[in-house]
Amino acid sequence: MVEHFLEDDSGSLREKVILLDFGGQYSMLIARRVREAGVYCELLPYNTTWDKIKNHKPAGIILSGSPASVYDEEAPKCDPAVYEGGIPILGICYGMHLLAGDLGGEVKKGRRSEFGRTSFTIDEPEPLFKDASFYDENFCFGWMSHQDEVLKPPPGFNVLARTENRTVAAIGDHQRKIYGLQFHPEVFHTPGGNSILKNFIYQVCQCSQTWTPGSFIKDAVAKIRSVVGDHKKVVCALSGGVDSSVVAFLLDKAVGKRAVFIFVDHGLLRLDEAEEVAILYKKGLQGQFIHVDAKERFLNRLELVTDPEEKRRIIGNEFIAVFKEHALSMGDIAYLAQGTIYPDVIESGFAQGAAVIKSHHNVGGLPEELGFELIEPLRELFKDEVRLVGAELGLPDSILKRQPFPGPGLAVRIIGAVSSVKLLLLQKADAIFRQEVYNAGLEHELWQYFAVLTDVNVVGVKGDDRHYGPVIALRAVVSEDAMTADWARLSHDLLEKVSTRITGEIPDVARVVYDITSKPPGTIEWE
Ligand code: XMP
């Protein structure tokens, strides 16, 4: 057994690559790529002390990129003891400049933050460029930033690759197993980048493939059991979304009948969705399933409310109130299982001063005041991993591939005050749009696609009469992570079909428009 296996609380052995995050825009992506390759990767802030890093027993350490230059006065630095720990290191972009400078090399100040595709040739294929699928007569492409550059590698290092104009593209000290890349292997635009990362984790760090959905489920179930013990009960809020569903099925596997699932139906889901997920939960879970029909209650609280933030606040609070009533009435519950995922953990711990454009209330984000101990089995997982775990647990695609849906539901897709009449109208229009996108085979190509009920009434002609009615806006976007999004270039034929069906099948609707605003400057939702 290799030394870098770490035994966790449940007694399982796991290997870990630590990613020191210097604030680079691709840090999370690097971690995802390492995990996709089969090894668990965890982000730590760049200034984590070596003593703390050491406790993780890392098999390897990656130093991320950064918007900073090593020449900045406040340039982020890692604990220099990291270089002396005998653990393999890979510095990516800023990470390479930093280690090169720290270890006695020469780094030249370059231009800032310009990225581009750059070709490079390989001087030494072993070990990073070994068997790389993109390896073509030593001529490769990498996605590089033209920031600082390594002029002279530190003592003990060789230049492993260089660009056409002789800029250093990769360096390595084979003895100490410390490597650096000027380009980003994690981005899609670097062909073969995944092979480089795999070579680092398997050839250099000597990892074995220990991170799989199956191994995660085994560990998570063991951990939940060891925390909850043999008698206590756990409650879990279900929303129909991927995260809460995966938590529920994990929990069910771990504690079975001692799990209580509460599905607060706020009436703001899409057409027939509440009934569909309720059937799935009822059938698939052994624990107690409570379906709370709270539609009237939410509608009453939302009456005449037009401000989107106020809607979010009311829905969030009401959700907690309903959940609390039912959870507390169960009497002997000790734990609350929640679907917090890794990006939430990182963002709450790492993000500083990011502008709040609008508050995002995840219905289901329940506060500590409930008095239950928290269990968050997905804290370590990225969204894609949650889906893989869900698939392994046997969840259907209708849940796993469901498009992101805001916690406050259709309330933030009805501009102005919400009413049951408007809700039904929007549900019908939205269902038509979704069905036609599905018929066109586009449902997995789009990040989100939905209808919005605007508060604009316009004139139209229905039969021989003038007719005044609301405008339905269609929104469809492509995106990687919802941080930015491009409006989807849906075909005119598809848009025409949707428009004809909506105005034909929903007599009230006078007009249908298509939103061609990207994010930024728009946001994905209208409210
Ligand atoms: P925006 O509209 O900010 O949305 O571009 C980005 C992503 O977040 C979703 N969204 C929400 N999700 N509660 C949620 O759980 C909310 O209040 C909320 N508002 C927006 C949105 O659907 C998109 O996926």
Side-chain angles (χ1 to χ4, degrees):
M1 180 100 8
V2 197
E3 225 177 68
H4 56 242
F5 280 88
L6 179 72
E7 187 169 334
D8 69 12
D9 309 340
S10 63
S12 325
L13 296 171
R14 186 190 276 180
E15 291 170 299
K16 215 185 246 190
V17 166
I18 290 294
L19 185 123
L20 290 185
D21 181 19
F22 292 87
Q25 56 175 322
Y26 299 124
S27 295
M28 279 217 233
L29 189 57
I30 301 172
R32 270 173 52 195
R33 294 281 181 257
V34 173
R35 291 184 185 195
E36 278 162 21
V39 176
Y40 182 66
C41 180
E42 187 168 326
L43 267 86
L44 293 179
Y46 67 88
N47 52 2
T48 309
T49 61
W50 169 241
D51 272 348
K52 284 204 180 134
I53 297 172
K54 208 167 53 181
N55 288 338
H56 290 263
K57 291 203 184 170
I61 296 172
I62 298 180
L63 311 181
S64 81
S66 171
S69 150
V70 287
Y71 282 94
D72 288 350
E73 235 167 70
E74 306 270 294
K77 297 234 167 207
C78 59
D79 184 342
V82 164
Y83 304 121
E84 309 304 326
I87 310 289
I89 297 175
L90 176 67
I92 295 177
C93 196
Y94 176 87
M96 169 168 95
H97 309 142
L98 184 72
L99 70 85
D102 283 352
L103 296 175
E106 247 180 74
V107 181
K108 185 181 107 182
K109 191 169 171 53
R111 284 173 291 154
R112 292 210 135 215
S113 293
E114 250 177 65
F115 286 87
R117 196 174 121 104
T118 314
S119 57
F120 62 90
T121 51
I122 295 168
D123 295 359
E124 285 187 33
E126 296 277 345
L128 291 187
F129 304 106
K130 186 174 166 271
D131 301 328
S133 53
F134 64 107
Y135 186 77
D136 176 18
E137 309 213 340
N138 281 358
F139 200 65
C140 319
F141 289 100
W143 193 250
M144 284 193 199
S145 93
H146 302 289
Q147 278 192 321
D148 302 335
E149 292 168 14
V150 172
L151 268 192
K152 200 168 133 206
F157 279 75
N158 298 343
V159 174
L160 310 182
R162 51 187 100 227
T163 66
E164 270 172 299
N165 61 9
R166 313 299 291 161
T167 305
V168 170
I171 56 172
D173 176 338
H174 303 303
Q175 204 72 39
R176 287 196 280 172
K177 299 190 173 182
I178 302 182
Y179 295 90
L181 299 170
Q182 172 77 25
F183 57 92
H184 289 269
E186 70 279 13
V187 300
F188 169 75
H189 311 276
T190 298
N194 280 338
S195 313
I196 299 175
L197 285 173
K198 278 188 188 159
N199 283 337
F200 176 68
I201 55 183
Y202 291 116
Q203 306 295 324
V204 182
C205 304
Q206 301 271 298
C207 288
S208 34
Q209 204 175 347
T210 47
W211 181 246
T212 60
S215 71
F216 171 82
I217 293 171
K218 197 169 135 264
D219 291 0
V221 165
K223 254 186 229 167
I224 296 172
R225 284 188 185 144
S226 78
V227 169
V228 175
D230 292 332
H231 307 291
K232 298 203 170 117
K233 275 190 167 181
V234 190
V235 68
C236 172
L238 291 170
S239 68
V242 185
D243 304 342
S244 75
S245 302
V246 173
V247 168
F249 281 78
L250 265 181
L251 186 66
D252 204 61
K253 206 172 165 69
V255 300
K257 292 201 168 8
R258 282 181 294 123
V260 177
F261 302 101
I262 301 180
F263 174 42
V264 177
D265 181 359
H266 53 24
L268 305 165
L269 291 182
R270 289 164 286 200
L271 195 66
D272 298 334
E273 197 169 28
E275 292 71 22
E276 282 163 20
V277 293
I279 290 172
L280 173 87
Y281 291 144
K282 229 185 253 173
K283 224 167 73 186
L285 298 168
Q286 311 166 55
Q288 186 179 352
F289 175 70
I290 302 172
H291 184 166
V292 187
D293 181 351
K295 292 188 197 93
E296 286 297 316
R297 198 168 155 168
F298 277 82
L299 274 178
N300 288 340
R301 293 284 289 113
L302 286 169
E303 205 180 349
L304 306 180
V305 178
T306 54
D307 177 58
E309 291 300 282
E310 183 67 2
K311 287 182 190 171
R312 284 187 163 87
R313 200 185 54 73
I314 290 174
I315 294 166
N317 288 344
E318 200 57 21
F319 180 88
I320 291 163
V322 176
F323 182 82
K324 200 169 165 181
E325 281 167 27
H326 285 82
L328 294 180
S329 73
M330 304 297 303
D332 51 350
I333 287 179
Y335 295 96
L336 169 71
Q338 202 164 255
T340 314
I341 64 171
Y342 199 46
D344 307 332
V345 175
I346 296 173
E347 270 153 32
S348 55
F350 283 32
Q352 280 166 6
V356 176
I357 298 182
K358 57 191 173 192
S359 67
H360 278 199
H361 288 290
N362 273 318
V363 168
L366 296 156
E368 289 162 21
E369 65 173 65
L370 281 176
F372 304 129
E373 294 281 327
L374 267 190
I375 298 180
E376 297 179 314
L378 311 182
R379 270 182 82 85
E380 306 180 307
L381 301 190
F382 287 112
K383 195 81 180 186
D384 314 353
E385 294 174 312
V386 175
R387 291 200 181 93
L388 292 174
V389 166
E392 185 86 13
L393 287 166
L395 283 170
D397 277 3
S398 58
I399 295 242
L400 298 178
K401 299 198 173 152
R402 185 183 190 247
Q403 51 170 318
F405 186 68
L410 299 183
V412 290
R413 294 181 180 168
I414 292 174
I415 312 304
V418 178
S419 70
S420 57
V421 174
K422 289 184 189 172
L423 254 176
L424 186 61
L425 187 150
L426 177 59
Q427 282 176 328
K428 285 184 183 164
D430 184 69
I432 291 172
F433 187 29
R434 284 188 293 130
Q435 192 177 49
E436 291 303 334
V437 167
Y438 179 84
N439 291 345
L442 294 174
E443 78 274 22
H444 297 314
E445 280 173 38
L446 302 175
W447 174 265
Q448 276 172 285
Y449 49 101
F450 54 87
V452 174
L453 176 58
T454 72
D455 57 351
V456 179
N457 278 310
V458 294
V459 67
V461 188
K462 290 228 168 162
D464 292 331
D465 292 331
R466 280 168 81 80
H467 158 79
Y468 286 92
V471 176
I472 284 283
L474 304 176
R475 180 78 165 139
V477 295
V478 285
S479 173
E480 286 281 308
D481 52 13
M483 303 293 281
T484 59
D486 201 6
W487 63 274
R489 272 54 173 177
L490 298 184
S491 76
H492 291 179
D493 286 349
L494 173 58
L495 290 170
E496 188 191 0
K497 197 183 274 176
V498 177
S499 162
T500 309
R501 277 196 61 192
I502 290 178
T503 47
E505 293 172 33
I506 313 171
D508 257 358
V509 177
R511 222 169 266 232
V512 176
V513 297
Y514 186 51
D515 181 353
I516 55 165
T517 320
S518 290
K519 173 183 179 177
T523 51
I524 295 176
E525 302 291 342
W526 272 38
E527 282 202 331

